[in-house]
Amino acid sequence: MSMDISQFSQIFFDEVEELLDDLERLVLTVDVEIPDSEDINSIFRIAHSIKGGAATFGFSDLIDITHELESMLDKIRHGELKFTSRHQEILLQSRDVLKMQIDGLRLNAPVDKEKVAEVRAMVVEAMIDESALSSAHQVPDLHNEKNLVVADSGCTYARRFQIDLPAMSQIDVEALIDELSLLGELTVSSSNPEKTILDLWTNDGSLEILALCSFILDPDDVHVSEISGDSALSKSAHIVIQSEEPEDSGFGFFDSPSLFVEPIQDEIVVSPDVSLPTPDKLPVKKISVKADTVTAVAESSTVRVSIEKVDQLINLVGELVIAHAMITKRAEGLDPAQYEMLLNGIAQLGQNSRSLQESAMSMRMMPMDVVFSRFPRMVRELSGKLGKQITLETKGNSIELDKGLIEKIVDPLTHLIRNSIDHGIESPDIRAESGKQKMGCLSLSAAHQGGHVVIKVIDDGAGLNRRRILQKAGEQGLPVDDDMTDEDIWKLIFAPGFSTAETVTDVSGRGVGMDVVNRNITSLGGTISIHSVEGLGTTTTVSLPLTLAILDGMSVKVGEETYILPLSNIVESFQPVATNVKEISGQGSVVYIRGEYLPIIPVFKVFTIEPIHRHPVTGMLVVITADGRKAALLVDELVGQQQVVVKNIESNYRKVSNISGATIMADGSVSLIIDVNGLLREHHTKTGS
Amino acid sequence: MKTILVVDDSRSLRQMVAFCLTSAGYQVSEAADGVEALEITQGQQFDLILTDQNMPRMDGLAFIESLRTQTAYQKIPILMLTTESSDEMKAKGRAAKATGWLVKPFDPEKLIAVVKKVIS
């Protein structure tokens, strides 16, 4: 009976990736001065698990480095080696190398073999240096490790031959041994002037061996015979284990037969000869891969589904919600008494389809931790490079966000964090001079706020320098004046090409940044704002919608058309009295409400359509806000509040100014979703107000 | 049908072992560490236990020791699946009253052959 265990490779890869993430997290949090023994144990277990799995599933490439890591960590956890930041660094590099190897195995990504060898050498070195200093009793240990052929060559050989050579000169024997060594792992079993017996593990056959020998000897004098594998139980190939001792079967029983259940007792042969295998000669088996197998045991806890399938489901559920709304609309005219059952059924269907929609949407949600977990390492490396001392705090790691948003938020956040480390937080000396703690603090937080997720990057650094930003902005020809409010000045750093950094560093300061960050966030339907106090620090706030696919909207009518306004942009709506509406020559009209004048944007003018009401007093004003700007939209009437499924126009048609998307309404008609940000921005630049 | 409990913190290894044993006609339950395994053994009787040594929360030896204190499990065979097969580990395994050991990595055929030796 043959078993195909290659189907478990994928699970193994997933597992290794999880373990590597854990490894990184643990290595970054472990206290180098007084490492927690449980942390070290956990790190050891990770190396151990990867090695064990790799050996079982036949990924010998991974064994090499994990074996050395395991040895190193074993010494550390037994107190034979002191844990230092050097080990921390090596563990991180090993993690990267293992990740690269895993990607190589599962995705056929390129693997930098030199890098692998280099990091492995680092691990070995980190072990020898310290252990040589500590005590002598570890030397045999190291010697043992060296005997592991698996670690030395990483090669696997399928066949084993015994080669009997006739009497020949010592020089010839040595020459032949050199040649045969090229075929695989060669050991000299016995050697005397009459006869030499060689033992060869190889992937070649007896013909190749004979061919080699025939350079020196008459082939008829050479006897080559194949030795079968060490165990009758196994027909698999071997990773060759070089050992003087006889191979053993890799299992055994303790001599306590009383522990066995009765009928089995007789069958167990407890042989004293079955010596326990020592680690340097584990019979590592390479498992053959066969196609004809039984179906796999189902994975119980998670199922991996491609994002396309989830999106397709969400789309279909969206259509279902629309179809339900259409039925509801049609059923409106029906007599509730006569059609009670039908109407109840429709209401039930509505509830279920909304729950279904929520469940489907939740499949796309991922915790912020997916993003946040990338940063500890980056902060550590950057602060190391720049000679700064920074602790990173994260809050709200479990807040969930749409997968699409999660992916797109990584780059902007990375940029903001780089900025904080490079420009924000000062070097320890400067911090000490200004009476701050030498250790700077960088905080990342995520929280729900209305229909949004608000992500904050907070540093306790130098803060933004008003004078310098003004000066630089002036030099770069941006419109500035000294009376600008702080808020307006901080917005200048979002201008293309803007950078106040005196020198361009490795980390940031090339001036291609904040404008891109701003654009990225805006394109996600989010906003970004900065709050800074000189000397105390900077807070950058990014606000994102929970999901891109569903929007809480208010439908409004203008003439024959229905438009959707995102609810999150709406402040209030009202019908003004005539005295509060003022015409400003050449700039349209404004409305006075709650102590301020807001510009009126007539929607019929923006989209050039024929409205019912041309004047605010007869129509309806909706106050909208975005980016700190406000305006009143003039519409004919409010229709109602509803959730809409956003359909992208850009990918199906082309970008339409002032429109962010479209949706299908309950009656089957299409409504356009107004891009409030864009509309306010356009109006702002047009009027210059 | 004979029942086997497989205890290992590695999901892939656990599933591989479970798959092989299921294919060979055994009924298999899984546990991720000693603590979980103890919980499972409280409510169910198994004919054989296969356990890893290195696991979080509770390792294999501690699990075996604890299990052997239960009357129902005093004579049930327990095999350690281990990569640590030094004499020291062997002594510890014996002291914990394990039945035997199987060195990881192993191939499916060997696993089944050993299991058959213990429970036929």
Side-chain angles (χ1 to χ4, degrees), chain A residues 1-5 7-8 11-12 15 18 45 48-49 55-57 233-234 236 249-255 258-261 264 267-268 276-277 282 295 297 299, chain B residues 9-13 15-16 19-20 23 54-56 74-75 79 83 85-86 90 93-94 97-103 105 107-110 112-114 117-118 120:
Chain A
M1 176 179 186
S2 72
M3 299 263 183
D4 175 18
I5 59 167
Q7 53 181 310
F8 296 99
I11 302 171
F12 170 67
E15 193 172 80
E18 280 166 28
R45 262 200 310 272
H48 182 79
S49 291
T56 303
F57 298 110
L233 296 168
S234 158
S236 313
S249 50
F251 70 94
F253 303 108
F254 299 117
D255 44 357
S258 64
L259 290 172
F260 285 86
V261 281
I264 297 141
E267 295 172 29
I268 307 287
L276 223 103
L282 303 183
T295 38
V297 180
E299 157 68 294
Chain B
D9 58 332
S10 158
R11 192 169 72 236
S12 55
L13 209 95
Q15 288 186 11
M16 192 273 276
F19 167 69
C20 295
S23 315
N54 265 296
M55 292 181 292
Q74 274 177 2
K75 288 192 185 300
L79 292 178
T83 50
S85 42
S86 57
K90 187 185 172 188
R94 190 196 309 257
K97 294 182 184 153
T99 309
W101 75 91
L102 179 60
V103 170
D107 61 43
E109 284 88 356
K110 172 171 284 182
I112 290 165
V114 173
K117 272 185 188 239
V118 185
S120 44

Coordinates of all heavy atoms in Angstrom, one line a residue, chain A residues 1-5 7-8 11-12 15 18 45 48-49 55-57 233-234 236 249-255 258-261 264 267-268 276-277 282 295 297 299, chain B residues 9-13 15-16 19-20 23 54-56 74-75 79 83 85-86 90 93-94 97-103 105 107-110 112-114 117-118 120:
Chain A
M1 N 0.9 -1.2 0.0 CA 0.0 0.0 0.0 C 0.9 1.2 0.0 O 1.8 1.4 0.8 CB -0.8 0.0 1.3 CG -1.7 1.2 1.4 SD -2.6 1.0 3.0 CE -3.6 2.4 2.9
S2 N 0.7 2.1 -1.0 CA 1.5 3.3 -1.0 C 0.6 4.5 -0.7 O -0.6 4.5 -0.9 CB 2.1 3.5 -2.4 OG 1.1 3.9 -3.3
M3 N 1.2 5.4 -0.1 CA 0.5 6.6 0.4 C 1.1 7.9 -0.3 O 2.3 8.0 -0.3 CB 0.7 6.8 1.9 CG 0.2 5.6 2.7 SD -1.4 6.0 3.2 CE -1.7 4.5 4.1
D4 N 0.2 8.7 -0.7 CA 0.7 10.0 -1.2 C 0.5 11.0 -0.2 O -0.6 11.3 0.2 CB -0.2 10.3 -2.5 CG 0.2 11.7 -3.0 OD1 1.3 12.2 -2.6 OD2 -0.6 12.3 -3.7
I5 N 1.6 11.5 0.3 CA 1.5 12.5 1.3 C 1.8 13.9 0.8 O 1.9 14.9 1.5 CB 2.3 12.3 2.6 CG1 3.8 12.1 2.2 CG2 1.8 11.0 3.3 CD1 4.7 12.2 3.5
Q7 N -0.1 15.7 -0.8 CA -1.3 16.6 -0.7 C -1.2 17.4 0.6 O -1.9 18.3 0.8 CB -2.5 15.7 -0.6 CG -2.4 14.6 0.4 CD -3.6 13.7 0.4 OE1 -4.7 14.2 0.5 NE2 -3.4 12.4 0.4
F8 N -0.3 17.0 1.5 CA -0.2 17.7 2.8 C 0.9 18.8 2.6 O 1.1 19.6 3.6 CB 0.2 16.8 3.9 CG -0.9 15.8 4.2 CD1 -0.9 14.5 3.7 CD2 -2.0 16.2 4.9 CE1 -1.9 13.6 4.0 CE2 -3.1 15.3 5.2 CZ -3.0 14.0 4.7
I11 N -0.6 22.3 3.2 CA -0.8 22.6 4.6 C 0.5 22.9 5.3 O 0.6 23.8 6.1 CB -1.6 21.4 5.3 CG1 -2.9 21.1 4.5 CG2 -1.8 21.6 6.7 CD1 -3.5 19.8 4.9
F12 N 1.5 22.1 4.9 CA 2.8 22.3 5.6 C 3.3 23.7 5.2 O 3.8 24.4 6.1 CB 3.8 21.2 5.1 CG 5.2 21.4 5.4 CD1 5.6 21.3 6.8 CD2 6.1 21.7 4.5 CE1 6.9 21.6 7.2 CE2 7.5 22.0 4.9 CZ 7.8 21.9 6.2
E15 N 1.5 26.2 7.2 CA 2.0 26.1 8.6 C 3.3 26.8 8.8 O 3.5 27.5 9.8 CB 2.0 24.6 8.9 CG 2.2 24.3 10.4 CD 2.0 22.8 10.6 OE1 3.0 22.1 10.4 OE2 0.9 22.3 10.9
E18 N 2.9 30.5 8.9 CA 2.5 30.9 10.2 C 3.6 30.8 11.2 O 3.8 31.8 12.0 CB 1.3 30.0 10.7 CG 0.0 30.3 10.0 CD -1.0 29.2 10.3 OE1 -0.9 28.5 11.3 OE2 -1.9 29.0 9.4
R45 N 10.9 25.6 19.4 CA 9.9 24.7 18.9 C 9.6 25.0 17.4 O 9.3 24.1 16.6 CB 8.6 24.8 19.7 CG 8.5 23.7 20.7 CD 7.1 23.5 21.2 NE 6.5 24.7 21.6 CZ 6.6 25.2 22.8 NH1 7.2 24.6 23.8 NH2 6.0 26.4 23.1
H48 N 12.3 23.5 15.3 CA 12.1 22.1 15.5 C 10.9 21.6 14.6 O 11.1 20.6 13.9 CB 11.8 21.8 16.9 CG 11.7 20.3 17.2 ND1 12.8 19.5 17.3 CD2 10.6 19.5 17.4 CE1 12.4 18.3 17.6 NE2 11.1 18.3 17.7
S49 N 9.8 22.3 14.7 CA 8.6 21.9 13.9 C 8.9 21.9 12.4 O 8.5 21.1 11.7 CB 7.4 22.7 14.2 OG 7.0 22.5 15.5
A55 N 11.4 17.3 6.9 CA 12.0 15.9 6.8 C 10.9 14.9 6.4 O 11.1 14.1 5.5 CB 12.7 15.5 8.1
T56 N 9.7 15.1 7.0 CA 8.6 14.2 6.8 C 8.1 14.3 5.3 O 7.8 13.4 4.7 CB 7.5 14.4 7.7 OG1 8.0 14.3 9.1 CG2 6.3 13.4 7.5
F57 N 8.0 15.6 4.9 CA 7.4 15.8 3.6 C 8.4 15.9 2.5 O 8.1 16.2 1.4 CB 6.5 17.1 3.6 CG 5.4 16.9 4.6 CD1 5.4 17.7 5.8 CD2 4.3 16.0 4.4 CE1 4.3 17.5 6.7 CE2 3.3 15.9 5.3 CZ 3.3 16.6 6.4
L233 N 10.3 -2.7 5.7 CA 9.1 -2.0 5.8 C 9.1 -0.9 4.7 O 8.0 -0.4 4.4 CB 8.9 -1.3 7.2 CG 8.8 -2.3 8.3 CD1 8.9 -1.5 9.6 CD2 7.5 -3.0 8.3
S234 N 10.2 -0.5 4.3 CA 10.3 0.7 3.4 C 10.9 0.4 2.1 O 11.9 -0.3 2.0 CB 11.2 1.7 4.1 OG 11.6 2.6 3.2
S236 N 11.2 3.1 0.2 CA 11.5 4.5 -0.2 C 13.0 4.8 -0.3 O 13.8 4.0 0.2 CB 10.9 5.5 0.9 OG 9.6 5.1 1.2
S249 N 16.0 0.5 12.6 CA 14.7 0.7 12.0 C 14.0 1.9 12.4 O 12.9 2.2 11.9 CB 13.9 -0.6 12.3 OG 13.9 -0.8 13.7
G250 N 14.5 2.7 13.3 CA 13.9 4.0 13.6 C 12.7 3.9 14.5 O 12.0 4.8 14.7
F251 N 12.5 2.7 15.1 CA 11.5 2.7 16.2 C 11.9 1.6 17.2 O 12.8 0.8 16.9 CB 10.1 2.4 15.6 CG 10.0 1.0 15.0 CD1 9.4 -0.1 15.8 CD2 10.4 0.6 13.8 CE1 9.3 -1.3 15.3 CE2 10.3 -0.6 13.3 CZ 9.7 -1.6 14.1
G252 N 11.2 1.5 18.2 CA 11.5 0.5 19.2 C 10.5 0.6 20.4 O 9.7 1.5 20.4
F253 N 10.6 -0.4 21.2 CA 9.7 -0.4 22.4 C 10.5 -0.5 23.7 O 11.6 -1.1 23.7 CB 8.7 -1.6 22.3 CG 7.9 -1.6 21.0 CD1 8.2 -2.5 20.0 CD2 7.0 -0.7 20.8 CE1 7.5 -2.5 18.9 CE2 6.2 -0.6 19.6 CZ 6.5 -1.6 18.7
F254 N 10.0 0.2 24.7 CA 10.7 0.1 26.0 C 10.4 -1.3 26.5 O 9.3 -1.9 26.3 CB 10.2 1.2 26.9 CG 10.5 2.5 26.3 CD1 9.4 3.4 26.0 CD2 11.8 3.0 26.1 CE1 9.7 4.7 25.5 CE2 12.0 4.2 25.6 CZ 11.0 5.1 25.3
D255 N 11.4 -1.8 27.3 CA 11.2 -3.2 27.8 C 10.2 -3.2 29.0 O 10.6 -3.5 30.1 CB 12.5 -3.9 28.1 CG 13.4 -3.0 28.9 OD1 13.0 -1.8 29.1 OD2 14.5 -3.4 29.2
S258 N 4.6 -5.4 30.3 CA 3.4 -5.4 31.2 C 2.4 -4.3 30.8 O 1.2 -4.4 31.1 CB 3.8 -5.3 32.6 OG 4.3 -4.0 32.8
L259 N 3.0 -3.3 30.1 CA 2.1 -2.2 29.8 C 1.2 -2.5 28.6 O 0.3 -1.8 28.3 CB 2.9 -1.0 29.4 CG 3.6 -0.3 30.6 CD1 4.5 0.7 30.2 CD2 2.6 0.2 31.6
F260 N 1.5 -3.6 27.9 CA 0.7 -3.9 26.7 C -0.6 -4.6 27.0 O -0.7 -5.3 27.9 CB 1.6 -4.8 25.7 CG 2.6 -4.0 25.0 CD1 3.9 -3.9 25.6 CD2 2.4 -3.5 23.8 CE1 4.8 -3.2 25.0 CE2 3.4 -2.8 23.2 CZ 4.6 -2.6 23.8
V261 N -1.5 -4.4 26.1 CA -2.7 -5.1 26.2 C -2.5 -6.6 25.9 O -1.6 -6.9 25.1 CB -3.8 -4.5 25.3 CG1 -4.4 -3.3 26.0 CG2 -3.3 -4.2 23.9
I264 N -1.5 -8.6 22.3 CA -0.4 -8.1 21.5 C 1.0 -8.5 22.1 O 1.9 -8.6 21.3 CB -0.5 -6.5 21.4 CG1 -1.8 -6.2 20.7 CG2 0.7 -5.9 20.7 CD1 -2.5 -5.0 21.3
E267 N 3.5 -10.6 20.3 CA 4.0 -10.2 18.9 C 5.1 -9.2 19.0 O 5.8 -8.9 18.1 CB 2.9 -9.5 18.1 CG 1.8 -10.5 17.8 CD 0.6 -9.8 17.2 OE1 0.8 -8.8 16.5 OE2 -0.5 -10.3 17.3
I268 N 5.3 -8.6 20.2 CA 6.3 -7.6 20.3 C 7.7 -8.3 20.6 O 7.8 -9.0 21.5 CB 6.0 -6.6 21.4 CG1 4.7 -6.0 21.3 CG2 7.1 -5.5 21.5 CD1 4.5 -5.0 20.2
L276 N 19.0 2.6 20.3 CA 18.3 3.8 20.0 C 19.1 4.6 19.0 O 20.3 4.8 19.2 CB 18.1 4.6 21.3 CG 16.7 5.1 21.4 CD1 15.8 4.2 22.3 CD2 16.7 6.5 21.8
P277 N 18.4 5.1 18.0 CA 19.2 5.9 17.1 C 19.6 7.2 17.7 O 18.8 7.8 18.4 CB 18.2 6.1 15.9 CG 16.9 5.9 16.5 CD 17.0 5.0 17.7
L282 N 19.6 9.5 12.0 CA 18.1 9.3 11.9 C 17.9 8.7 10.5 O 18.3 9.3 9.5 CB 17.3 10.6 12.0 CG 17.5 11.3 13.3 CD1 16.6 12.5 13.4 CD2 17.2 10.4 14.5
T295 N -8.9 9.8 -1.0 CA -9.2 11.2 -0.8 C -8.7 11.7 0.5 O -8.6 10.9 1.5 CB -10.7 11.5 -0.9 OG1 -11.3 10.4 -0.2 CG2 -11.1 11.6 -2.3
V297 N -8.2 13.7 4.1 CA -9.0 14.0 5.3 C -9.2 15.5 5.2 O -8.4 16.3 5.0 CB -8.2 13.7 6.5 CG1 -9.0 14.0 7.8 CG2 -7.7 12.2 6.6
E299 N -9.8 19.3 6.0 CA -9.3 20.2 7.0 C -10.5 20.8 7.7 O -11.4 21.2 7.1 CB -8.4 21.3 6.3 CG -8.3 22.6 7.0 CD -7.5 22.4 8.3 OE1 -7.9 21.7 9.2 OE2 -6.4 23.0 8.4
Chain B
D9 N 1.7 19.2 17.7 CA 1.4 20.6 17.5 C 1.5 21.0 16.0 O 1.0 22.0 15.6 CB 2.3 21.5 18.3 CG 3.8 21.3 18.0 OD1 4.1 20.2 17.6 OD2 4.5 22.2 18.2
S10 N 2.1 20.2 15.2 CA 2.1 20.5 13.8 C 0.9 20.0 13.0 O 0.7 18.8 13.0 CB 3.4 20.0 13.1 OG 3.2 19.8 11.7
R11 N 0.1 20.9 12.5 CA -1.1 20.6 11.8 C -0.9 19.6 10.7 O -1.5 18.6 10.5 CB -1.8 21.8 11.4 CG -3.3 21.6 10.9 CD -4.0 22.9 10.7 NE -3.5 23.6 9.6 CZ -3.0 24.9 9.5 NH1 -2.9 25.5 10.6 NH2 -2.6 25.4 8.4
S12 N 0.2 20.0 9.9 CA 0.4 19.2 8.7 C 0.8 17.7 9.1 O 0.3 16.8 8.5 CB 1.5 19.8 7.8 OG 2.7 20.0 8.5
L13 N 1.7 17.6 10.1 CA 2.1 16.3 10.5 C 1.0 15.5 11.0 O 0.8 14.3 10.7 CB 3.2 16.4 11.5 CG 4.1 15.2 11.4 CD1 5.3 15.5 10.5 CD2 4.6 14.7 12.7
Q15 N -2.2 15.8 10.4 CA -3.1 15.4 9.4 C -2.6 14.3 8.5 O -3.3 13.4 8.1 CB -3.5 16.6 8.5 CG -4.4 17.6 9.3 CD -4.9 18.7 8.4 OE1 -4.8 18.6 7.2 NE2 -5.5 19.7 9.0
M16 N -1.3 14.4 8.3 CA -0.6 13.3 7.5 C -0.8 12.0 8.2 O -1.2 11.0 7.7 CB 0.8 13.7 7.3 CG 1.5 12.9 6.2 SD 2.2 11.4 6.9 CE 3.8 11.9 7.6
F19 N -4.3 10.9 8.3 CA -4.7 10.4 6.9 C -4.2 9.0 6.7 O -5.0 8.1 6.2 CB -4.1 11.3 5.9 CG -4.2 10.8 4.5 CD1 -5.4 10.6 3.8 CD2 -3.0 10.5 3.8 CE1 -5.5 10.2 2.5 CE2 -3.1 10.0 2.5 CZ -4.3 9.8 1.9
C20 N -2.9 8.7 7.0 CA -2.4 7.4 6.8 C -3.1 6.4 7.6 O -3.5 5.3 7.1 CB -0.9 7.4 7.2 SG 0.1 8.5 6.2
S23 N -6.6 5.7 6.4 CA -6.6 4.9 5.1 C -6.3 3.5 5.5 O -6.8 2.6 4.8 CB -5.4 5.4 4.2 OG -5.4 6.8 4.1
N54 N 7.9 17.5 21.6 CA 8.0 19.0 21.7 C 6.7 19.7 21.4 O 6.3 19.8 20.2 CB 9.0 19.5 20.8 CG 10.4 19.7 21.5 OD1 10.5 20.5 22.4 ND2 11.3 18.9 21.1
M55 N 5.9 20.2 22.3 CA 4.7 20.8 22.1 C 4.5 22.0 23.1 O 5.0 21.9 24.2 CB 3.5 19.8 22.2 CG 3.5 18.8 21.2 SD 2.1 17.7 21.4 CE 2.5 16.8 22.9
P56 N 3.8 23.0 22.7 CA 3.5 24.1 23.6 C 2.5 23.6 24.7 O 1.9 22.5 24.6 CB 2.9 25.2 22.8 CG 2.3 24.5 21.6 CD 3.2 23.3 21.4
Q74 N -3.9 2.9 31.9 CA -2.7 2.4 32.5 C -2.1 1.3 31.6 O -0.9 1.2 31.6 CB -3.0 1.8 33.9 CG -2.8 2.9 34.9 CD -3.2 2.4 36.3 OE1 -3.5 1.3 36.5 NE2 -3.1 3.4 37.2
K75 N -2.9 0.7 30.8 CA -2.3 -0.4 29.9 C -2.5 -0.1 28.4 O -2.2 -1.0 27.6 CB -3.0 -1.7 30.3 CG -2.6 -2.3 31.6 CD -3.0 -3.7 31.8 CE -2.7 -4.2 33.2 NZ -1.3 -4.2 33.5
L79 N 2.8 5.5 22.0 CA 4.1 5.6 21.3 C 4.5 7.1 21.2 O 3.6 7.9 20.9 CB 3.9 5.0 19.8 CG 3.7 3.5 19.7 CD1 3.5 3.1 18.2 CD2 4.9 2.7 20.3
T83 N 11.8 13.2 17.4 CA 13.1 13.4 16.7 C 14.2 13.3 17.7 O 15.4 13.1 17.4 CB 13.2 14.8 16.0 OG1 12.8 15.8 17.0 CG2 12.2 14.8 14.9
S85 N 16.0 11.3 20.1 CA 16.1 9.9 20.4 C 17.4 9.6 21.1 O 17.9 8.5 20.9 CB 15.9 9.0 19.2 OG 16.6 9.6 18.1
S86 N 17.8 10.5 21.9 CA 19.1 10.2 22.7 C 18.7 9.2 23.8 O 17.6 9.0 24.1 CB 19.5 11.5 23.3 OG 18.5 12.1 24.1
K90 N 15.3 8.5 25.9 CA 14.8 7.1 26.0 C 14.5 6.8 27.5 O 13.4 6.2 27.8 CB 15.8 6.1 25.4 CG 15.3 4.7 25.4 CD 16.4 3.7 24.9 CE 16.0 2.3 25.1 NZ 17.1 1.4 24.8
G93 N 11.4 8.6 28.5 CA 10.2 8.0 27.9 C 9.9 6.7 28.7 O 8.7 6.5 29.1
R94 N 10.9 6.0 29.1 CA 10.6 4.8 29.9 C 10.1 5.1 31.3 O 9.1 4.5 31.7 CB 11.9 4.0 30.1 CG 11.8 2.6 30.7 CD 13.1 2.1 31.1 NE 14.1 2.2 30.1 CZ 14.5 1.1 29.4 NH1 14.0 0.0 29.6 NH2 15.4 1.3 28.4
K97 N 6.6 5.9 31.4 CA 5.8 4.7 31.0 C 5.2 4.7 29.6 O 4.1 4.3 29.4 CB 4.7 4.4 32.1 CG 5.3 4.1 33.4 CD 4.3 3.8 34.4 CE 4.9 3.5 35.8 NZ 4.0 3.8 36.9
A98 N 6.0 5.3 28.7 CA 5.6 5.2 27.3 C 5.9 3.7 26.9 O 6.6 3.0 27.5 CB 6.4 6.1 26.4
T99 N 5.2 3.3 25.8 CA 5.3 1.9 25.4 C 6.5 1.8 24.4 O 7.2 0.8 24.5 CB 4.0 1.5 24.6 OG1 2.9 1.8 25.5 CG2 4.1 0.0 24.3
G100 N 6.7 2.8 23.6 CA 7.8 2.7 22.6 C 8.0 4.0 21.9 O 7.3 5.0 22.3
W101 N 8.8 4.0 21.0 CA 9.0 5.3 20.2 C 9.1 5.0 18.7 O 9.4 3.9 18.3 CB 10.3 5.9 20.7 CG 11.5 5.2 20.2 CD1 12.2 5.5 19.1 CD2 12.2 4.1 20.8 NE1 13.3 4.7 18.9 CE2 13.3 3.8 19.9 CE3 12.0 3.4 21.9 CZ2 14.2 2.8 20.2 CZ3 12.9 2.3 22.2 CH2 14.0 2.0 21.3
L102 N 8.9 6.0 18.0 CA 9.0 6.0 16.5 C 9.7 7.3 16.1 O 9.3 8.3 16.5 CB 7.6 5.9 15.9 CG 7.6 5.8 14.4 CD1 8.3 4.6 13.9 CD2 6.1 5.8 13.9
V103 N 10.8 7.1 15.4 CA 11.6 8.3 15.1 C 11.0 9.0 13.9 O 10.7 8.4 12.9 CB 13.1 7.9 14.8 CG1 13.8 9.0 14.3 CG2 13.7 7.4 16.1
P105 N 11.7 11.8 11.0 CA 10.5 11.5 10.2 C 10.4 10.0 9.8 O 11.4 9.3 9.8 CB 10.8 12.3 8.9 CG 12.3 12.4 8.9 CD 12.8 12.4 10.3
D107 N 8.1 7.1 7.2 CA 7.2 7.1 6.1 C 5.9 6.4 6.4 O 5.9 5.6 7.4 CB 7.9 6.6 4.8 CG 8.3 5.1 5.0 OD1 7.5 4.4 5.6 OD2 9.4 4.8 4.6
P108 N 4.9 6.6 5.7 CA 3.5 6.1 6.0 C 3.5 4.5 6.3 O 2.9 4.0 7.2 CB 2.7 6.4 4.9 CG 3.3 7.6 4.3 CD 4.8 7.4 4.5
E109 N 4.3 3.8 5.4 CA 4.3 2.4 5.5 C 4.8 1.9 6.9 O 4.3 1.0 7.5 CB 5.1 1.7 4.4 CG 4.4 1.7 3.0 CD 4.7 3.0 2.2 OE1 5.3 3.9 2.8 OE2 4.2 3.1 1.1
K110 N 5.9 2.6 7.3 CA 6.5 2.2 8.5 C 5.6 2.5 9.7 O 5.4 1.7 10.6 CB 7.9 2.9 8.7 CG 8.4 2.7 10.1 CD 9.8 3.2 10.3 CE 10.8 2.3 9.6 NZ 12.1 2.7 9.8
I112 N 2.4 2.6 9.7 CA 1.3 1.6 9.8 C 1.8 0.3 10.3 O 1.1 -0.4 11.1 CB 0.6 1.5 8.4 CG1 -0.2 2.8 8.2 CG2 -0.4 0.3 8.4 CD1 -0.6 3.0 6.7
A113 N 3.0 -0.1 9.8 CA 3.5 -1.4 10.3 C 3.7 -1.4 11.8 O 3.4 -2.4 12.5 CB 4.8 -1.6 9.6
V114 N 4.3 -0.2 12.3 CA 4.5 -0.2 13.8 C 3.2 -0.2 14.5 O 3.0 -0.9 15.5 CB 5.3 1.1 14.1 CG1 5.4 1.2 15.6 CG2 6.7 1.0 13.5
K117 N 1.8 -3.6 14.7 CA 2.5 -4.4 15.7 C 1.9 -4.2 17.1 O 1.9 -5.1 17.9 CB 4.0 -4.0 15.8 CG 4.9 -4.7 14.8 CD 6.3 -4.3 15.0 CE 7.2 -4.9 13.9 NZ 8.2 -5.8 14.4
V118 N 1.5 -2.9 17.4 CA 1.0 -2.6 18.7 C -0.4 -3.0 18.9 O -0.8 -3.5 19.9 CB 1.3 -1.1 19.0 CG1 0.9 -0.8 20.5 CG2 2.7 -0.8 18.8
S120 N -3.3 -5.0 16.7 CA -3.6 -5.6 15.5 C -5.1 -5.8 15.3 O -5.8 -5.7 16.2 CB -2.9 -7.0 15.4 OG -3.0 -7.6 16.7

